[in-house]
Each structure stands twice: as C-alpha cells, then as structure tokens.
Amino acid sequence: MAVVLDADGLNAFAGDPESLSGRAAVLTPHEGELGRLLGTPAARVGAARLGSAREAAARAGAVVVLKGDDTLIAAPDGRVAVSRGATPALATAGTGDVLSGVVAALLAKGLEPFTAAAAAVRLHALAGVHAAVRRGAEGLIASDVIESLAAVRG
C-alpha cells in the first residue's frame, strides 16, 4: 500500500528525497514544500515547475503532485499529467489536505499511485469548481470542497 505525504510529512525528508526511494509513495507538495524536499529555493521550483516535479519524482522514486494553479502529476518514469487551473477558490487553507485525502482514498481502492494521483487531482478540481459555483469563490472553505466531492464523483 502506498503512503501519501504532505506538509510536515514531506519536511521530514527535507534535502534527502532519495530516502523515500523504494517506498510506494505519493507526495503532494506546493512549491515551498518541494523546494525544501529538494534542498532548493521555492523560487527555483516556481521558475521550473515541470523540471522540479520530474526531478523530485525521479529522486524520490515517488509520484509527485506539485500543487498550484496548474497542478502537475509526475511519475518516477518521467510521465507527467497536467491539470489546468480550476478555480482560485482552491488556494485556501485545508484544500490541499482534502486533495491528499482523495489520493489516499483512491489508493485504498487499489488504484496504482500515478492513476490515483491524477484522478484525485481531477476530482478535487471539479469539486472546487462545483463548490465555488454553489458558495462563491470568496470565503470557500475546505469542507465546502468535501461536500462537493459527492456531486462530481460521477
């Protein structure tokens, strides 16, 4: 079973992503967290998002979901999926935790890590748009995204 690492879980491996190699993992960093993992400034990650996501995936031997307006899902073998920006409403506290939970749920259902990560990013984006339409983008909170997951899961 794969493990999902975000925030402080990632910080535990700061500067040493290779120590994750050999474990089935999905990492869900934003640019700052990926910078710490790679031991490089967040500005460098931001200037080279695709290269940074691929580097982290290769070094960690893990799937990397680099969160942002355009979210990148990078596999250790070089595959990359891109989720184009869904809604600025997802740039609020706790929505990254919702994404990590969706990834974990799909892994628990038996999806392989890259597929689980890509599907989770898509579901999360759709739920964010649905929640923003229902509640408005201003003041959207993570639980609004959770509530919208049922409506978009198809």
Side-chain angles (χ1 to χ4, degrees), residues 17-36:
E18 292 80 7
S19 63
L20 287 164
S21 192
R23 306 171 197 220
V26 177
L27 316 179
T28 61
H30 56 59
E31 290 175 5
E33 292 163 341
L34 188 59
R36 283 189 293 280

Side-chain angles (χ1 to χ4, degrees), residues 6-7 25 33 35 41 45 51 61 64-65 84 95 149 154:
D6 189 33
E33 292 163 341
V45 171
V64 173
V65 177
R84 296 180 60 180
T95 59
L149 282 168

Side-chain angles (χ1 to χ4, degrees), residues 13-131:
F13 299 95
D16 187 22
E18 292 80 7
S19 63
L20 287 164
S21 192
R23 306 171 197 220
V26 177
L27 316 179
T28 61
H30 56 59
E31 290 175 5
E33 292 163 341
L34 188 59
R36 283 189 293 280
L37 181 68
L38 294 174
T40 191
R44 180 180 168 270
V45 171
R49 288 173 50 80
L50 178 59
S52 296
R54 279 188 161 147
E55 176 188 350
R59 288 177 60 189
V63 172
V64 173
V65 177
L66 179 54
K67 298 179 290 196
D69 186 34
D70 290 335
T71 296
L72 305 176
I73 304 100
D77 64 9
R79 288 176 295 162
V80 175
V82 179
S83 175
R84 296 180 60 180
T87 176
L90 288 174
T92 191
T95 59
D97 298 322
V98 174
L99 174 60
S100 295
V102 176
V103 172
L106 293 176
L107 289 168
K109 288 179 85 63
L111 274 69
E112 64 89 19
F114 184 79
T115 302
V121 167
R122 180 70 176 146
L123 286 169
H124 183 254
L126 291 171
V129 170
H130 183 269

